[in-house]
Amino acid sequence: MAYNCIVLIKQVPDTKRITGEAMNDDGTVNRSALPAIFNPEDLNALELALQIKDKFGGKVTVITMGLPAASAILRDSLFRGADEAILITDQRCAASDTLATSYILSCAVKKADFDIVLCGRQAIDGDTAQVGPQLAEKLGIPQITYVEELIELNGKSITARRNIGAGWQQVRTKLPALLTVTGDANEPRVAAAKKMMKYKNARTPVEVEQKIKAENADATEADIQKLVEHKYSKLEAKDLLIKQWDLDYIGADLMWCGRSGSPTKVHRIQSVVLAAKESKNIEPNDQGVSDMIHELIEDKIIA
Ligand code: FAD
């Protein structure tokens, strides 16, 4: 049996490359100072979906909710083997906490045909690991979180091994189901050269519009519209127009989106600056490593 997999992916600031400008004076993240990347565990979720497609057949659809710039990770997913990509972008999504985010994503997922929904375990910026479980609840399907290995898929049920910290559990549940996938699950494949050639010009409608507006600053609104529609039909003919949905299209109730759908209140933001107090140079040879291990054992840092 073939399976339709939907993978939820998020574009995140690269929190490993924090520099002095990473935080604004008011304690919020200065996103423009950090490179935007594919959330690492979402790559593992995508890889698992692609492995399911390779073995059983079916289709892999990736969905992200984000700013127009998030189109980059949709293209990246197509390069790696996804069949379809969807951007949910709408100004009314702004200020969404995890509850509103998972509600919006659930409306989008319900528009598609699915057997398995895959999320990363956690996003490296928000760091809550709440969106996957909340999404399963809103879709009314069972979930297996912290998946590190897919054991069996038999058309009716799915069995997976999940990490429980000090060990693992093997869990079976009926389909459709949602999995949240950890970084240990697999080694994400790289982009395929053939697919990069095929999809390098794939664009979302919002990207097309932004580019045409920038290149035709003096044109009238009507002329811009004509140019945009012409470009859309050219891309569509080559299957290079990435789908873009807004809140009206997915039938979301605005009361549950953005600020009105977000009960989380941020009371205080604290900027924590970690200063290196002490550092030690280790010689890059066997003796250096051996001395370091002995020191760590003596200090009871490792046993
Ligand atoms: P996690 O729960 O850790 O993510 C788990 C998995 O869920 C991911 O690996 C991925 O598979 C999936 N996932 C998570 N987010 C998405 C997504 N957007 N699209 C597709 N899949 C996803 N963020 C903004 O960008 N703009 C805002 O204006 C904004 N306002 C906020 C206001 C408040 C009060 C709060 C609390 C948060 C706000 N955020 C905003 C952050 C936003 O709520 C979270 O980034 C988002 O809900 C995801 O939570 P997380 O990062 O903890 O993801």
Side-chain angles (χ1 to χ4, degrees), residues 157-216:
S157 69
I158 183 167
T159 308
R161 199 179 74 202
R162 65 187 296 268
N163 186 318
I164 50 167
W168 52 268
Q169 269 178 343
Q170 193 161 305
V171 180
R172 184 169 66 229
T173 188
K174 63 180 172 41
L175 292 172
L178 181 143
L179 312 180
T180 77
V181 181
T182 69
D184 294 328
N186 50 45
E187 192 61 45
R189 69 193 64 186
V190 294
K194 258 191 176 170
K195 290 191 187 292
M196 280 176 91
M197 292 307 290
K198 181 172 174 194
Y199 290 114
K200 67 178 182 206
N201 294 322
R203 292 291 178 273
T204 50
V206 65
E207 287 181 299
V208 171
E209 214 178 302
Q210 283 178 344
K211 184 158 187 273
I212 288 179
K213 279 188 177 158
E215 287 171 355
N216 300 276

Side-chain angles (χ1 to χ4, degrees), residues 8-10 31 39 41-42 63-66 93-99 101 105 118-123 125-132 262 264-266:
L8 280 314
I9 60 171
K10 185 181 181 194
R31 287 177 192 261
N39 183 51
E41 288 183 326
D42 300 355
I63 301 181
T64 190
M65 169 183 132
C93 294
S96 292
D97 66 5
T98 60
L99 201 65
T101 301
L105 294 176
L118 300 101
C119 292
R121 177 191 56 111
Q122 191 162 340
D125 57 345
D127 249 0
T128 66
Q130 290 174 359
V131 170
S262 301
T264 314
K265 299 282 171 271
V266 180

Side-chain angles (χ1 to χ4, degrees), residues 116 121 140 149 159 192 227 247 273:
I116 307 167
R121 177 191 56 111
E149 193 183 339
T159 308
L227 289 168
L247 294 181
V273 179

Side-chain angles (χ1 to χ4, degrees), residues 56 149-154 157-160 172:
F56 301 98
E149 193 183 339
L150 177 65
I151 307 285
E152 195 200 9
L153 253 178
N154 66 13
S157 69
I158 183 167
T159 308
R172 184 169 66 229

Side-chain angles (χ1 to χ4, degrees), residues 82-95:
D83 301 287
E84 189 176 32
I86 300 166
L87 172 69
I88 303 163
T89 195
D90 192 311
Q91 285 181 350
R92 294 167 294 178
C93 294

